[in-house]
Amino acid sequence: MGKWVEGRVIARHHWTAELFSLRVDAPVETYQAGQFTRLALDIDGERVARPYSYVNAPHERPLEFYFITVPDGPLTSRMVELDEGDRIWVQSRAAGLFTLEWLPDGEDLWLLSTGTALGVFLAILKTEEPWNRYRRVVLVHGVRTGAELTYRDTIAELQDRHGEQFRTVSLVSREDHSGALRGRITHAIEDGRLEQAAGLQLGPETSQVMLCGNPDMVSDTTALLEARGMKRNRRKEPGHITTEKYWG
Ligand code: FAD
């Protein structure tokens, strides 16, 4: 990856006690929506770095990142304390193949996320490519509580812009929440509620699926999709399933 460049925090926004976003000004290189960079802080004389997906589309500034504070997490427990004007290191060159460039065409594009992985899909949805290439685009966001259904204004703007082409399905696992399905993404695929809510079938004939976030969701959902005859997307052998895990 590229060199470290010095960034400055422009704003910090708290969504819940654990979820926050940072807006950062830093001279990074051009990247593709869906890619991640690395952020770092110098803590006790050591540079502590972790990968983070860009939430802003490549044409948008400032840079934006979406985090959960992990209890005792070496980096997030410090990043949550950053204030406007504070320094943060940003790797200038982004990385990752979780982009539409590597996705085969298909009728419908399904974007399945848990928690903070919503952000990577917002970057993709704020570009023109998904809307030019797919008949329908479905954004699925699974969280634990209703308060964790964040970035509602951004999603509402996308809905206004793209109307019927854009479908969203929210799932809340630990409580009932108006407008959201109750439970996990895997269960809603198994019992048909996800397809019913999206008004679309999920299968090898029509769907390209990108999955991002919790490694259990990614693995378990991949297994369910494979049981429907869908295959992992590989460079030499195009399939239907493209994944990125945030840990594990
Ligand atoms: P660590 O000691 O590194 O804690 C790791 C543990 O925290 C994991 O084992 C897991 O149990 C938990 N954890 C890590 N990330 C998450 C998460 N996102 N949600 C719930 N639990 C988590 N994290 C983000 O918050 N936003 C992002 O945009 C993001 N993008 C990533 C992109 C890639 C390609 C990868 C591989 C990871 C990404 N992560 C993202 C995770 C991130 O790199 C760190 O692991 C996380 O911020 C915790 O760092 P830490 O030093 O505080 O704790």
Side-chain angles (χ1 to χ4, degrees):
M1 289 180 85
K3 60 183 191 307
W4 289 107
V5 292
E6 194 172 327
R8 292 279 161 195
V9 172
I10 295 178
R12 184 183 71 197
H13 177 76
H14 285 272
W15 302 96
T16 67
E18 292 173 329
L19 294 171
F20 67 102
S21 298
L22 289 179
R23 290 192 165 169
V24 174
D25 186 18
V28 296
E29 296 173 38
T30 309
Y31 62 90
Q32 287 184 293
Q35 287 194 302
F36 63 89
T37 185
R38 289 168 81 80
L39 299 176
L41 295 176
D42 294 335
I43 302 169
D44 300 332
E46 216 182 292
R47 186 154 298 179
V48 179
R50 300 278 186 271
Y52 293 97
S53 303
Y54 281 108
V55 177
N56 60 299
H59 63 273
E60 292 180 316
R61 289 295 180 278
L63 308 178
E64 183 158 339
F65 302 95
Y66 179 33
F67 308 94
I68 185 161
T69 315
V70 173
D72 302 321
L75 192 56
T76 52
S77 61
R78 296 298 184 99
M79 281 198 302
V80 71
E81 292 172 351
L82 291 176
D83 275 323
E84 196 182 324
D86 284 348
R87 183 170 75 182
I88 183 168
W89 294 105
V90 185
Q91 202 120 55
S92 66
R93 187 172 305 161
L97 302 177
F98 196 67
T99 67
L100 293 185
E101 183 184 348
W102 302 106
L103 227 67
D105 287 330
E107 279 188 39
D108 305 323
L109 176 63
W110 293 72
L111 308 173
L112 272 48
S113 62
T114 56
T116 53
L118 172 70
V120 71
F121 291 138
L122 296 181
I124 290 173
L125 290 167
K126 287 192 274 177
T127 67
E128 294 307 317
E129 197 176 350
W131 313 104
N132 292 336
R133 284 184 53 195
Y134 298 92
R135 183 187 62 151
R136 303 264 193 243
V137 180
V138 187
L139 175 65
V140 179
H141 189 203
V143 295
R144 297 168 301 181
T145 64
E148 294 175 344
L149 292 172
T150 53
Y151 281 101
R152 295 290 103 181
D153 289 353
T154 307
I155 293 168
E157 275 169 35
L158 289 163
Q159 191 71 70
D160 283 348
R161 267 183 76 188
H162 300 288
E164 259 297 285
Q165 194 181 0
F166 187 37
R167 314 269 168 99
T168 61
V169 183
S170 305
L171 295 99
V172 176
S173 62
R174 293 191 186 164
E175 62 188 18
D176 289 330
H177 185 81
S178 163
L181 302 179
R182 175 83 191 253
R184 292 176 190 276
I185 291 173
T186 42
H187 296 155
I189 291 175
E190 282 174 310
D191 63 19
R193 284 180 302 143
L194 189 71
E195 287 160 290
Q196 195 183 19
L200 292 173
Q201 301 276 306
L202 185 52
E205 298 79 19
T206 52
S207 316
Q208 279 295 324
V209 187
M210 297 179 86
L211 302 113
C212 189
N214 181 308
D216 290 337
M217 182 284 281
V218 172
S219 303
D220 295 351
T221 306
T222 298
L224 288 175
L225 298 177
E226 285 175 341
R228 293 179 175 213
M230 301 175 84
K231 292 199 168 69
R232 281 172 190 274
N233 184 28
R234 300 186 199 282
R235 259 199 239 187
K236 288 187 179 157
E237 207 184 319
H240 320 91
I241 305 167
T242 307
T243 64
E244 183 153 274
K245 294 180 180 177
Y246 271 2
W247 71 93

